[in-house]
Amino acid sequence: MTNMKYIALPEEKERRLSFYLAMEEWVARHLDEPDCFFIWQVAPTVIFGRHQVVENEVNVAYCRERGIQMYRRKSGGGCVYADMGNVMLSYVCDGDNVGFTFHKFINMVLLVLRKLGVEATCTSHNDVMIGERKVSGTAFYHLPGRNIVHGTLLYDTDMENMLQAITPSREKLQRKGVESVRQRITLLKDYTDLALEEVKALIKTTLCVGERVLTPSEVEEIEQIEKTYLREDFIQILS
């Protein structure tokens, strides 16, 4: 873990979630570094798993009304809401052992939380818990000889958007259901005095040694891969 390289972009600007999915893929396919890591944030966005039927997981009408973007990823797993109040983690490494890679990623998240003075555990579903509440979830995507693990770290979030955007049926929005969702997740800001930018800096210094800044031409290559994530036949929102 100590030799993990942080992958940085040449300029700071707001990008779509699809760009970062493409960035993971580009790093996995083209970067000759055994262990790579980067963190990112996006405007309000819903991301759903490779095999999910969007209309069963996402309140599409609500997302369109509120300008919440919707993207499909190539990894499996469930539907996730992200915004600038939380941090997305991307880890790319060599190997074919899925279980080992998940274990390594989860231990990284637990290490960061311990540095923050937060006691956390993991579940058999590769979720990170503070007490009985989830603060981080993960998903996995494998390429020949390379693994991509990405996860969320809930520092803060627009809870109303989260609850409404990923619960399409009106029945699920009844008070009881909303309360049960609130009770299942927790926010890191309630357990630390550090601001979000300080948490991001701590993640980077704890996990990474050295930095590899991508070139503008490499960013262009990532943007070409991103086009595959933007195709309507890939996203498959039917309504």
Side-chain angles (χ1 to χ4, degrees):
M1 197 184 298
T2 52
N3 293 322
M4 188 158 65
K5 194 65 62 80
Y6 190 85
I7 310 303
L9 290 163
E11 60 174 334
E12 289 286 333
K13 69 176 189 177
E14 188 173 302
R15 298 176 185 274
R16 295 173 292 197
L17 186 142
S18 50
F19 174 86
Y20 296 104
L21 296 176
M23 182 172 165
E24 291 174 339
E25 196 172 327
W26 185 90
V27 168
R29 294 183 186 280
H30 300 290
L31 212 54
D32 189 23
E33 295 281 352
D35 279 312
C36 302
F37 181 82
F38 58 96
I39 57 181
W40 42 283
Q41 293 164 277
V42 289
T45 306
V46 166
I47 174 174
F48 32 91
R50 180 67 182 261
H51 303 296
Q52 288 189 300
V53 177
V54 180
E55 285 70 19
N56 292 347
E57 309 291 335
V58 182
N59 189 333
V60 175
Y62 178 88
C63 289
R64 286 178 173 155
E65 178 188 327
R66 298 299 179 97
I68 299 171
Q69 299 170 55
M70 294 172 279
Y71 298 106
R72 185 181 297 277
R73 61 180 186 266
K74 293 182 180 178
S75 57
C79 189
V80 173
Y81 169 82
D83 59 25
M84 293 300 288
N86 59 56
V87 181
M88 310 296 279
L89 314 171
S90 292
Y91 174 51
V92 180
C93 67
D94 288 343
D96 292 302
N97 189 320
V98 175
F100 177 79
T101 304
F102 256 132
H103 181 71
K104 192 173 179 181
F105 179 83
I106 294 292
N107 278 336
M108 285 191 241
V109 178
L110 293 175
L111 176 62
V112 168
L113 292 174
R114 280 198 296 275
K115 279 277 189 83
L116 288 167
V118 178
E119 283 300 318
T121 57
C122 69
T123 71
S124 58
H125 298 291
N126 298 303
D127 293 331
V128 175
M129 314 290 286
I130 300 175
E132 298 298 315
R133 297 186 178 198
K134 180 175 172 178
V135 73
S136 174
T138 57
F140 185 94
Y141 177 46
H142 182 71
L143 293 168
R146 295 283 267 173
N147 300 310
I148 296 170
V149 188
H150 36 218
T152 60
L153 186 58
L154 270 175
Y155 178 86
D156 193 8
T157 193
D158 184 326
M159 193 67 74
E160 194 61 28
N161 268 354
M162 174 182 279
L163 296 172
Q164 301 269 5
I166 60 175
T167 47
S169 75
R170 287 297 164 193
E171 296 75 32
K172 289 182 181 178
L173 294 178
Q174 290 174 353
R175 189 164 179 270
K176 211 167 187 179
V178 169
E179 281 183 353
S180 69
V181 172
R182 287 182 189 275
Q183 288 162 1
R184 284 204 305 272
I185 66 169
T186 193
L187 300 175
L188 189 54
K189 69 171 185 177
D190 295 333
Y191 301 88
T192 178
D193 293 328
L194 294 188
L196 180 52
E197 288 302 314
E198 294 173 308
V199 170
K200 287 164 59 180
L202 179 74
I203 294 170
K204 186 175 174 181
T205 56
T206 300
L207 300 181
C208 299
V209 174
E211 183 175 87
R212 163 68 153 83
V213 180
L214 300 180
T215 66
S217 64
E218 289 171 338
V219 171
E220 288 177 10
E221 291 176 21
I222 293 169
E223 288 168 344
Q224 290 303 308
I225 296 175
E226 182 187 13
K227 291 178 181 178
T228 67
Y229 288 90
L230 298 174
R231 294 200 322 259
E232 287 186 14
D233 63 333
F234 177 73
I235 298 175
Q236 290 184 328
I237 297 175
L238 302 177
S239 61

